[in-house]
Amino acid sequence: DGIHIIDLAKTKEGLENAAKTLQEAAAAGQDILFVGTKRQAKTILKEQATRIGAHFLTERWIGGFLTNWDTIHKNLEKIRKMEEEEKSGAWKKFPKHEQLKLSRYLGRTKMVYGGVISLYDVPKVLVVLDIRKEKAAVEEAKIRGIVTIGIVDTNADPTQVDFPIPANDDAVGSITFITNYLTRAYEEGRKQFDVTREKEAQEMEKKKKEAEKKAEAPKKVVEEKPVEPKAEESKTEKPAKAKKA
């Protein structure tokens, strides 16, 4: 009858565990991929992921994205190269129709890959907003040993992901609340990572300056005082005694 009966205490527990995992992963500088291709989820996910600078896929799951990473990586490199060429004006050497063709191709490609163009390595955590809809993504993540987080409705198996969040994956309100909660956790973790990285950079800079200062400092030369020769004691010869005749 379209009624979802979910224990909200379990939802709270699952959401908090998932958020903690996300925050810790982000604080460690790990890449995280958010996936939500269903109509109710794609808009809110794209908005929030773009806001915090997270990687995301909202148009469709790209088959082999995790299990065939070498090919995906090459595709991403190609897109990045095309973007640079377009910005630098390198396409101007081609005829107008060729430029238009390249531009259209890049536009179509970015519609699918747009949220992961800045991804350079396999993500360490996968977040899906519907584990049934994103079944292929979850399966690939399991093959690669990637940590999985997902919204699990009453018609799904919670054991399919490492951190299930029992909730309605069809209601816009439910999806929005959970997405906002998880992205805030990710954002907080990234802030921690940035602070740690800044401290490390400052410490390295400090050590570098100290080393340079030490290298430039004049070496102290211990000057040895010349040893003055000791004055020889003058030997006074005693006059010889006259022999008695």
Side-chain angles (χ1 to χ4, degrees), residues 15 22 62 65 80 87 97 113 144-145 147 154-155 162 169 182 188 194 197 199 205 230:
L15 189 55
L22 270 183
I62 303 168
F65 191 87
R80 287 190 283 263
K87 290 178 182 177
H97 68 278
Y113 286 91
R144 290 299 301 261
V147 176
T154 54
N155 59 354
D162 299 309
D169 59 18
L182 295 179
E188 185 61 33
D194 291 339
R197 187 168 55 177
K199 287 182 179 179
E205 186 65 23
K230 293 182 179 180

Side-chain angles (χ1 to χ4, degrees), residues 15-230:
L15 189 55
E16 289 176 347
N17 290 337
K20 182 182 177 183
T21 299
L22 270 183
Q23 185 171 335
E24 290 175 350
Q30 297 179 351
D31 288 319
I32 297 168
L33 177 61
F34 291 84
V35 181
T37 61
K38 67 193 305 181
R39 179 180 53 80
Q40 302 96 312
K42 61 170 57 180
T43 302
I44 181 62
L45 176 57
K46 186 174 182 178
E47 287 177 357
Q48 290 301 313
T50 301
R51 181 183 65 82
I52 63 175
H55 308 294
F56 65 92
L57 286 173
T58 55
E59 290 304 313
R60 65 177 178 83
W61 175 252
I62 303 168
F65 191 87
L66 301 176
T67 53
N68 191 19
W69 174 251
D70 289 341
T71 300
I72 297 298
H73 180 68
K74 290 177 182 177
N75 291 341
L76 294 174
E77 286 288 347
K78 181 180 178 181
I79 296 170
R80 287 190 283 263
K81 183 179 179 182
M82 289 184 71
E83 281 187 322
E84 290 176 4
E85 290 175 345
E86 184 182 33
K87 290 178 182 177
S88 66
W91 289 356
K92 291 181 180 179
K93 63 184 178 182
F94 300 119
K96 291 281 186 179
H97 68 278
E98 287 293 335
Q99 293 182 41
L100 184 60
K101 189 183 294 185
L102 287 169
S103 181
R104 285 176 176 172
Y105 173 79
L106 181 59
R108 289 195 305 269
T109 308
K110 287 175 68 174
M111 281 187 65
V112 179
Y113 286 91
V116 291
I117 291 176
S118 60
L119 184 62
Y120 289 86
D121 202 357
V122 179
K124 302 300 182 183
V125 181
L126 177 75
V127 182
V128 295
L129 301 186
D130 182 341
I131 68 170
R132 292 190 69 195
K133 172 72 174 176
E134 317 302 346
K135 182 180 177 182
V138 173
E139 288 179 349
E140 287 192 31
K142 289 169 70 175
I143 292 172
R144 290 299 301 261
I146 296 170
V147 176
T148 51
I149 296 171
I151 297 178
V152 180
D153 210 332
T154 54
N155 59 354
D157 180 4
T159 64
Q160 294 302 303
V161 289
D162 299 309
F163 295 91
I165 304 170
N168 187 336
D169 59 18
D170 292 317
V172 175
S174 172
I175 294 172
T176 301
F177 179 82
I178 292 172
T179 301
N180 289 344
Y181 194 94
L182 295 179
T183 51
R184 281 198 300 269
Y186 172 87
E187 186 178 22
E188 185 61 33
R190 288 298 302 182
K191 287 179 181 177
Q192 294 174 12
F193 173 72
D194 291 339
V195 169
T196 302
R197 187 168 55 177
E198 181 64 24
K199 287 182 179 179
E200 290 175 351
Q202 290 176 355
E203 187 64 28
M204 287 180 65
E205 186 65 23
K206 183 180 177 182
K207 289 181 179 179
K208 182 181 177 182
K209 288 182 179 179
E210 288 177 352
E212 290 175 351
K213 188 177 180 181
K214 189 175 181 181
E216 291 174 1
K219 295 180 180 179
K220 292 183 179 180
V221 179
V222 180
E223 296 182 358
E224 295 183 358
K225 294 183 178 180
V227 180
E228 296 181 0
K230 293 182 179 180

